[in-house]
Amino acid sequence: MLKQAFYAGFCFALLCNGCMSNDMEGEWGDAKTKMQEASFDAWVEHGRYGEVLIEGKEITGERQERSLPGANRGSVIKTYIDPAVYEKMQNIDEEEEVEVVLSVRSKHRLSKLPRYDRSLSVDHNDNLEIAAKRKAIMSRDARARSAERRALRERIEHAGGGMVSEHAAGNALVCRLTRGMLEELLAEHAEIASVTASTYEKPVQLLKPVTKSRYVVDTIELGRLAQKSDQYVDNGYTGYGYRVGLLDTGVYADHTVLKSPDHIDIWKDCGWTVYANCNLYPVGLYAGRYDPGDAEYDGGHGTGIANILIGNANNGYAYRGVAMDAWLDSANIYIGTHHNVLYEPAALRGLNRLAPYDDVIVANFTFDQTDEGAVASAADDLYDQGVIMIAPVGNSPAAPAYSPANAHKVIGAGAYYADTGEDDVAAAGVPTDNRIKPDVAGPTEVIAARNTGPTDMQYTNGTLAAAGFMGGAALLLRDYYDTRNWSSDPGAVYAALITFGDKGGSD
């Protein structure tokens, strides 16, 4: 009977791109959270060159109460089964093991963290006190989430399964299970929200080296002008003191646009071989360039995105990044000889590790999952903590937006060509609850840094580049709003990104 229920659930998952098994009525579906928030109007008038002339803010009414949905909007709770897991389970014996990620439903929403004072140095006493408060809050939340996973963790260990890692954001367990053990867990534990595969092989993205005839055409400056972000920089809103996290292939830290001055702070590997613990790289190990052959295949798109986000002007003003004075925290989450295998535990490690530091995180990867998977849930959790989350929707016109861009609390980045303004061919899909993605489009197809040498450049394209531009824009907006003493919570910045967008596509 267990096997029959298991495979019936998987078949339904494939047909509806959703989930089945473990239906449950009651408290999980009814969980609601009340949130009090102020209602106010704020305005600003700019001069011809972007300078602030007049500004104001006025409370317009009493604090309003808004209901936040719990784990599910309906009364029936279902477990999302990743089609990749279903396909794997169809082809292995009952005693054969597979590594999967189990996300557990939570009634404990992660707490909003106090903000750092970005006008002060990171080691200023005031910021050290804030860091201690953030650590205490995150530890408390982690303990509460760990308690919610305890019964499932103990059941797995008792049955002889192997625990790989656990994560508070996403409330996830990474474990090695036999097919039979997974069947039993699904039948016994209704708190399992999703079952996803740990590895996803992606097509190698062939980025184009720069040719002389195009070198001065599609510059980063063209993208900055297209999204009109230089007006902020020209008026002093440069992201100084702010931090942006980049989860990608890592960065080639010796590229001239990333050093002198150096704005890379955290430089971690969350996926590669023996260093896959999110610790700092050993000296001389550059993400995206582990051996000379690797660079021939992808050129290290993480290095190009870092250039777009925070790069300096050492290669010329035209190749300066959007938020040139911000700090970059980089984490590699790819494995495989050519950096073409996405490892979900590495993505979860990276999200959890960078959350304590960053104002904005660009999650520059795409998992073929719905918004019910652990990665999308983790991205939503970071939003609750106060992090602005940006992710590319993907480059497949036939597919809906990928995870984590399809999450409820993430800005999904589409793309348009920086030189023409025309829409790039990218995913524009409707998730299971009829939301529309992408949320906003950013510039793409520009020349940025390449990992093959300290001055090498390449074309950086698709929604990956657009997410980089959008992450930089979000940093500048947060800087601007903080300076005006307006709310720069993620929701306020999201509203600004969408409201300030002036390009409407056919969809």
Side-chain angles (χ1 to χ4, degrees):
M1 290 300 293
L2 288 176
K3 292 181 183 178
Q4 290 175 352
F6 182 71
Y7 288 117
F10 278 137
C11 291
F12 186 80
L14 286 175
L15 289 172
C16 70
N17 194 29
C19 49
M20 192 184 164
S21 80
N22 296 344
D23 288 357
M24 181 176 71
E25 307 270 355
E27 58 175 342
W28 291 103
D30 296 335
K32 298 276 185 184
T33 302
K34 297 294 184 183
M35 182 178 184
Q36 296 285 335
E37 58 181 21
S39 174
F40 63 86
D41 285 335
W43 64 90
V44 62
E45 181 180 336
H46 295 90
R48 181 177 180 182
Y49 302 103
E51 71 276 17
V52 176
L53 299 179
I54 302 173
E55 62 178 303
K57 175 178 174 181
E58 178 184 1
I59 301 294
T60 59
E62 298 296 328
R63 296 178 67 84
Q64 56 188 354
E65 186 175 271
R66 166 165 78 89
S67 293
L68 299 173
N72 192 63
R73 292 188 172 134
S75 59
V76 178
I77 300 300
K78 300 177 180 179
T79 300
Y80 165 67
I81 309 294
D82 185 351
V85 175
Y86 168 73
E87 183 177 354
K88 177 73 173 179
M89 303 303 282
Q90 289 276 48
N91 296 294
I92 64 174
D93 296 331
E94 187 171 314
E95 297 303 316
E96 189 172 342
E97 281 192 339
V98 62
E99 186 175 283
V100 294
V101 180
L102 305 179
S103 180
V104 176
R105 291 188 181 89
S106 178
K107 290 191 287 185
H108 183 86
R109 181 174 177 173
L110 295 189
S111 306
K112 183 179 177 181
L113 302 175
R115 296 278 307 283
Y116 291 108
D117 186 339
R118 300 306 189 187
S119 67
L120 303 174
S121 64
V122 293
D123 56 356
H124 190 279
N125 285 338
D126 289 355
N127 275 332
L128 291 177
E129 288 185 14
I130 294 171
K133 292 178 182 178
R134 289 168 68 98
K135 183 177 180 180
I137 292 169
M138 295 182 75
S139 295
R140 183 188 66 212
D141 286 347
R143 289 193 298 271
R145 286 271 174 107
S146 179
E148 293 177 325
R149 300 189 300 268
R150 182 179 298 122
L152 182 59
R153 178 175 60 245
E154 292 176 349
R155 175 69 177 86
I156 292 170
E157 292 172 344
H158 179 74
M163 294 299 305
V164 178
S165 59
E166 294 187 61
H167 308 279
N171 208 20
L173 296 165
V174 183
C175 50
R176 294 194 61 82
L177 304 169
T178 64
R179 192 194 77 186
M181 193 186 310
L182 180 55
E183 293 172 6
E184 293 179 5
L185 291 177
L186 286 170
E188 297 171 6
H189 289 268
E191 72 269 27
I192 299 175
S194 67
V195 183
T196 51
S198 63
T199 57
Y200 296 80
E201 188 162 344
K202 309 288 289 185
V204 176
Q205 183 174 9
L206 299 176
L207 301 179
K208 300 173 288 186
V210 173
T211 60
K212 290 288 185 182
S213 62
R214 296 279 302 212
Y215 193 76
V216 295
V217 179
D218 298 336
T219 64
I220 293 176
E221 182 181 16
L222 198 65
R224 300 194 320 254
L225 292 174
Q227 71 174 14
K228 299 180 175 61
S229 57
D230 277 0
Q231 284 92 326
Y232 289 83
V233 174
D234 294 342
N235 281 276
Y237 310 103
T238 63
Y240 178 81
Y242 290 77
R243 300 170 70 127
V244 57
L246 176 61
L247 276 65
D248 207 305
T249 58
V251 296
Y252 174 46
D254 270 0
H255 200 285
T256 186
V257 300
L258 300 177
K259 61 186 297 186
S260 301
D262 179 14
H263 284 292
I264 298 178
D265 191 11
I266 297 176
W267 193 37
K268 295 179 180 294
D269 181 24
C270 298
W272 186 258
T273 61
V274 295
Y275 304 112
N277 55 3
C278 280
N279 284 334
L280 295 177
Y281 286 111
V283 174
L285 180 63
Y286 297 132
R289 194 187 182 196
Y290 295 100
D291 60 76
D294 195 22
E296 295 175 12
Y297 289 88
D298 66 16
H301 54 71
T303 302
I305 305 306
N307 185 178
I308 292 170
L309 279 167
I310 56 95
N312 59 47
N314 287 351
N315 253 12
Y317 178 82
Y319 301 99
R320 172 180 66 73
V322 176
M324 60 187 181
D325 287 335
W327 285 93
L328 179 77
D329 296 329
S330 170
N332 166 54
I333 60 163
Y334 284 79
I335 61 176
T337 304
H338 303 306
H339 264 196
N340 63 329
V341 178
L342 262 175
Y343 189 47
E344 185 171 357
L348 290 169
R349 276 198 292 265
L351 289 168
N352 278 270
R353 185 59 65 92
L354 295 185
Y357 309 104
D358 293 313
D359 298 279
V360 176
I361 287 181
V362 178
N364 226 20
F365 53 86
T366 55
F367 282 100
D368 190 7
Q369 301 174 2
T370 72
D371 60 322
E372 298 165 284
V375 169
S377 296
D380 281 344
D381 284 336
L382 265 60
Y383 172 98
D384 290 342
Q385 291 179 312
V387 181
I388 296 165
M389 296 297 302
I390 311 289
V393 295
N395 299 321
S396 173
Y402 290 100
S403 174
N406 59 7
H408 288 258
K409 303 175 183 179
V410 174
I411 287 289
Y416 62 88
Y417 293 112
D419 56 351
T420 66
E422 296 296 321
D423 289 341
D424 190 8
V425 178
V430 180
T432 54
D433 57 1
N434 295 320
R435 289 174 293 119
I436 301 297
K437 294 284 181 173
D439 300 287
V440 182
T444 192
E445 190 76 9
V446 298
I447 295 168
R450 183 178 175 88
N451 71 357
T452 50
T455 60
D456 290 356
M457 306 292 279
Q458 69 188 352
Y459 279 102
T460 302
N461 46 37
T463 55
L464 295 174
F469 275 103
M470 202 170 297
L475 268 176
L476 300 184
L477 282 169
R478 183 160 245 188
D479 187 356
Y480 178 76
Y481 274 38
D482 283 342
T483 304
R484 312 256 70 74
N485 290 317
W486 297 349
S487 170
S488 67
D489 284 349
V493 175
Y494 288 7
L497 287 170
I498 294 170
T499 302
F500 296 163
D502 64 352
K503 293 182 179 296
S506 59
D507 295 329

